[in-house]
Amino acid sequence: MKSFQVAGIDISTCHFINGERISSEQTLKNTSPIDGQFLGDFALGDTKEVDLAVNAANAAFPAWRDLGPHGRGEILERLAKLIEDNVETLAQIETLDNGALLRSHIRGVMPRAAANIRFFAEWASNNLKHEPFETRGHSNNVSWDPSGVAALITPWNAPLMLATWKIGPALAAGDTVVLKPAEWTPLTASFFADLTVKAGMPKGVFNVIFGLGEQAGAALTKHPGISRISFTGSVPTAKKIARAAADNLTPITFELGGKSPLIVLEDADLDLATTLAVEQYDNAGQVCLSGTRLLVHQSVADDFTKLFIKKASLIKQGDPRVEETQMGPQIHKDHLSKIAGFVERAKEEGAEIVLGGAPNEHLGGLYYQPTLVMKPDTKSEIFREEIFGPVLCMQTFTNDDQALNMANDTEFGLAAVVVSGKREHAAKITKNLVAGTIWVNCFFIRDLRAPFGGSKKSGIGRDGGTWSFDFYADVKNTVIAPNGWKE
Ligand code: NAD
């Protein structure tokens, strides 16, 4: 078995197929965004390995389906507990792999990964019910039946958290799984596979294929042996996956990008508004939900800007393993160049940069400064496209209609933040805002019972509670007649 020591832990660099570690001829070098440290040569899968994994998952499906929600729940509960027992280790290796803050991984992200598994297992046992109803004496009986093999494709910005957000409901629904994690962040998926063995999960129920999107990912999404595709990532990739899924009419769910608005009304508490605005730099701006368009009422814009710059200037950038650090590096040099490119082109077009605007020269490496672009043209790419870095744009408005029009004038619809001191005023704005999630005077409160997903180009479908099972399961109605019985 090929493995590599990361933070003192043995991490296999091979695929996990039918409970076995399988290597590939081709490998991809994995390095840490923190300091370029080598983190192993990971297998690069293609059609052959994808076939093996999908076949294994199909072979394991009937027995997993027949275990029922309670039988599966026992194994999933052990898995959730194992994640909790390994929070520190998972946090260490995830931070090395994607550069996000260690303390966030320990206190929030990894416990949440465990919750993702436990919550959906419990929901399948306790909440997935629909009262029978009658039609002319016939009873209608709704069930959520396991559908087959779910192909799960995930990005690098919150690797294990986003993977378990799919793995939890898919396995709880009775599907078996083939996961393709992002090529830049394979570590926690590999460690997680070992935890499924310790939890006693039968062989073939959970499989991981490492590899490039255009090879392993493409082979997986066009495979006729899968019953579902759940994808989190960018819009251009989603379009390719939709085309691949079309051939087999495989059902898809997409959680995609955003260019969400954070609206500060004239009656807002500016201390709260600026604190929430600074939080949009979380995870070095690599958060799909970030409110990257700050839309501020003209009458409070000057005060807002001064306070925002004062607070954002205090953000401590540096090594994400250090407790005091508030912002780590970007994920990869290609991603850093993409972010820098957006800002450079905005500068060439005359945009005013009032904070940051360049890589952090003092730190070097992959660090980019928190940046605020003041009043760019609302038609410019920096105001319209997802940058996925620590770059916010600010615009002003003079009335509610203008704020709403500006907020909705985007191809995305993932999230929105509204800051106001008056409930009715906030409600007037939220009513016609187009977004899957709206936060009023808060940010990032997420409950697994709530629907989550994007409108417009930010996604297709909703996850959370029963919405997740509506996707992973085959929802069935069995109509039973009152007559015809011989017993
Ligand atoms: P990406 O689309 O480049 O890659 C995501 C995954 O898709 C990776 O595993 C990649 O290997 C795979 N992939 C790439 N090409 C493929 C293909 N042709 N077929 C199948 N799979 C393929 O996205 P990224 O850069 O890794 O992630 C950033 C994006 O993810 C941003 O747009 C961000 O907004 C979005 N995101 C959305 C959410 C959400 O919940 N809405 C959460 C996190 C990230």
Side-chain angles (χ1 to χ4, degrees):
M1 188 177 95
K2 292 184 185 170
S3 65
F4 192 80
Q5 278 251 325
V6 179
I9 312 294
D10 265 335
I11 306 279
S12 172
T13 55
C14 299
H15 312 290
F16 181 71
I17 302 173
N18 205 25
E20 311 285 334
R21 291 293 180 171
I22 309 265
S23 59
S24 288
E25 275 169 33
Q26 306 275 331
T27 56
L28 182 71
K29 184 177 169 191
N30 186 34
T31 55
S32 173
I34 302 173
D35 52 9
Q37 179 189 339
F38 177 61
L39 297 176
D41 285 316
F42 273 77
L44 276 186
D46 209 330
T47 316
K48 187 177 82 180
E49 294 85 348
V50 167
D51 261 344
L52 285 175
V54 174
N55 291 344
N58 269 306
F61 173 66
W64 185 245
R65 174 195 62 200
D66 293 345
L67 263 185
H70 293 286
R72 293 191 291 268
E74 284 175 19
I75 297 172
L76 292 172
E77 170 54 32
R78 287 202 293 274
L79 182 58
K81 180 76 176 51
L82 279 160
I83 297 174
E84 285 167 347
D85 293 346
N86 286 279
V87 158
E88 188 82 32
T89 303
L90 285 163
Q92 293 275 357
I93 59 178
E94 193 89 290
T95 290
L96 275 174
D97 211 9
N98 85 337
L101 300 183
L102 179 64
R103 65 181 154 82
S104 304
H105 280 152
I106 292 174
R107 288 173 210 153
V109 177
M110 295 309 163
R112 179 60 172 234
N116 285 341
I117 301 291
R118 180 174 291 125
F119 171 86
F120 288 106
E122 289 177 355
W123 195 271
S125 289
N126 305 328
N127 297 75
L128 217 48
K129 293 188 185 96
H130 197 297
E131 284 305 311
F133 52 94
E134 269 198 28
T135 313
R136 298 192 303 276
H138 300 62
S139 74
N140 292 267
N141 301 272
V142 177
S143 59
W144 284 259
D145 291 3
S147 76
V149 177
L152 313 180
I153 301 184
T154 48
W156 44 261
N157 62 321
L160 191 66
M161 210 289 286
L162 291 170
T164 49
W165 169 237
K166 299 181 187 303
I167 295 166
L171 291 179
D175 295 354
T176 52
V177 161
V178 179
L179 170 70
K180 210 299 280 171
E183 44 270 55
W184 288 343
T185 51
L187 296 188
T188 46
S190 187
F191 188 80
F192 178 84
D194 292 337
L195 296 186
T196 64
V197 177
K198 290 188 183 138
M201 194 165 285
K203 286 182 180 183
V205 169
F206 176 76
N207 306 274
V208 182
I209 294 287
F210 296 114
L212 303 174
E214 50 278 20
Q215 287 177 355
L220 183 57
T221 52
K222 68 178 184 215
H223 203 290
I226 57 170
S227 66
R228 295 287 185 273
I229 299 171
S230 177
F231 168 72
T232 298
S234 64
V235 172
T237 305
K239 289 183 183 175
K240 290 183 196 160
I241 293 177
R243 286 186 203 109
D247 274 346
N248 300 310
L249 288 182
T250 312
I252 48 175
T253 183
F254 287 164
E255 290 180 356
L256 309 177
K259 190 78 180 178
S260 299
L262 183 151
I263 305 170
V264 181
L265 299 176
E266 64 272 32
D267 47 31
D269 172 340
L270 287 190
D271 188 36
L272 174 66
T274 48
T275 297
L276 291 172
V278 171
E279 282 178 25
Q280 308 309 309
Y281 289 130
D282 274 3
N283 204 11
Q286 301 166 138
V287 175
C288 54
L289 297 161
S290 285
T292 48
R293 290 181 299 145
L294 308 179
L295 310 181
V296 183
H297 194 278
Q298 179 68 51
S299 64
V300 295
D302 283 350
D303 290 345
F304 174 90
T305 309
K306 277 185 214 136
L307 196 52
F308 173 83
I309 291 177
K310 190 173 161 198
K311 290 183 183 177
S313 305
L314 295 176
I315 292 174
K316 278 203 169 71
Q317 276 192 285
D319 190 321
R321 293 164 294 191
V322 173
E323 178 73 21
E324 292 72 35
T325 300
Q326 291 163 307
M327 189 188 283
Q330 306 305 138
I331 180 73
H332 193 274
K333 64 176 174 30
D334 295 351
H335 191 57
L336 182 83
S337 311
K338 185 181 152 200
I339 295 165
F342 270 109
V343 177
E344 288 313 311
R345 289 191 295 280
K347 283 183 192 165
E348 281 160 22
E349 285 168 18
E352 188 191 354
I353 314 284
V354 293
L355 181 74
N360 187 324
E361 279 183 7
H362 176 63
L363 290 169
L366 301 182
Y367 294 84
Y368 198 89
Q369 297 178 75
T371 294
L372 180 63
V373 184
M374 187 54 81
K375 289 196 170 185
D377 187 332
T378 54
K379 300 288 172 219
S380 62
E381 64 160 12
I382 201 145
F383 196 70
R384 304 195 77 81
E385 289 187 25
E386 184 184 47
I387 300 170
F388 219 53
V391 179
L392 306 182
C393 294
M394 180 169 151
Q395 261 297 348
T396 56
F397 61 86
T398 51
N399 60 56
D400 291 351
D401 285 345
Q402 205 190 358
L404 254 179
N405 287 339
M406 218 186 268
N408 285 338
D409 181 19
T410 167
E411 62 177 4
F412 297 108
L414 190 57
V417 179
V418 176
V419 196
S420 170
K422 294 193 171 144
R423 283 176 201 275
E424 274 187 23
H425 196 182
K428 183 181 164 208
I429 299 291
T430 59
K431 186 166 183 289
N432 290 324
L433 259 183
V434 181
T437 302
I438 300 177
W439 286 288
V440 179
N441 291 343
C442 60
F443 180 54
F444 231 112
I445 305 296
R446 281 194 49 194
D447 191 308
L448 290 167
R449 292 169 296 183
F452 176 83
S455 301
K456 298 196 269 183
K457 288 213 173 70
S458 287
I460 296 178
R462 293 291 182 272
D463 266 305
T466 299
W467 290 281
S468 293
F469 293 93
D470 287 344
F471 173 72
Y472 290 106
D474 273 326
V475 184
K476 185 166 83 186
N477 185 27
T478 306
V479 184
I480 304 175
N483 47 11
W485 304 103
K486 290 190 173 170
E487 59 207 13

